[in-house]
Amino acid sequence: MDFPEELKYSKEHVWVRVEGDRAVIGISDYAQETLGTISAVELPSVGDELEQDDSFGSVEARKTAAELYAPISGEVIEVNDELEASPETINDDPYDAGWIAIVSLDDPEELKSLMSAEDYADYVSVAEEEE
């Protein structure tokens, strides 16, 4: 599994890539692999105000559906509409083409509550051992 170093990760398996005063959000390689082939994505709407840890959408796979929880607070300024027609893009490329939303970075301090790639890899390995 791949966990890019430049990203931050939440315990809910959502990643954040900071780009200036905005943050790109998606689900991790571990999350997409655990879910299996993703068949549908419920995206937030542009203009939605996200609060850290609140649900902002979901992804569905053959076996299950998973809520998406905001890793940071901010206004949704863009969504990846292409996922509605091709949700499996998340499986193929979770960190680039499979991004879910871009939000304004309202409180950079919230990033401190997220995990580094190394910490997330450790977190995932513990989760796998418990299965």
Side-chain angles (χ1 to χ4, degrees):
M1 273 178 268
D2 183 30
F3 307 124
E5 293 287 326
E6 72 276 11
L7 305 180
K8 295 286 194 178
Y9 300 85
S10 73
K11 290 183 177 181
E12 290 77 27
H13 310 290
V14 176
W15 58 260
V16 176
R17 179 174 46 246
V18 177
E19 297 178 347
D21 62 351
R22 16 185 270 161
V24 182
I25 297 173
I27 67 168
S28 72
D29 194 21
Y30 172 80
Q32 69 79 20
E33 191 171 288
T34 302
L35 288 167
T37 302
I38 295 174
S39 57
V41 179
E42 180 188 326
L43 298 169
S45 297
V46 171
D48 284 356
E49 287 289 338
L50 305 184
E51 290 294 324
Q52 188 176 38
D53 300 324
D54 283 354
S55 174
F56 71 94
S58 65
V59 291
E60 293 179 28
R62 289 190 187 122
K63 299 182 264 183
T64 187
E67 288 289 316
L68 299 171
Y69 294 95
I72 58 166
S73 302
E75 180 182 349
V76 177
I77 51 180
E78 192 175 340
V79 295
N80 189 350
D81 290 326
E82 293 182 19
L83 296 179
E84 291 177 340
S86 302
E88 69 282 355
T89 301
I90 293 173
N91 296 110
D92 299 335
D93 192 4
Y95 298 117
D96 289 310
W99 64 275
I100 293 171
I102 299 174
V103 301
S104 60
L105 185 58
D106 287 356
D107 184 0
E109 288 292 308
E110 289 179 338
L111 295 168
K112 292 179 180 177
S113 68
L114 302 175
M115 292 178 271
S116 67
E118 183 179 343
D119 291 341
Y120 182 68
D122 291 344
Y123 177 74
V124 166
S125 68
V126 170
E128 287 180 324
E129 288 172 12
E130 292 175 354
E131 287 181 3

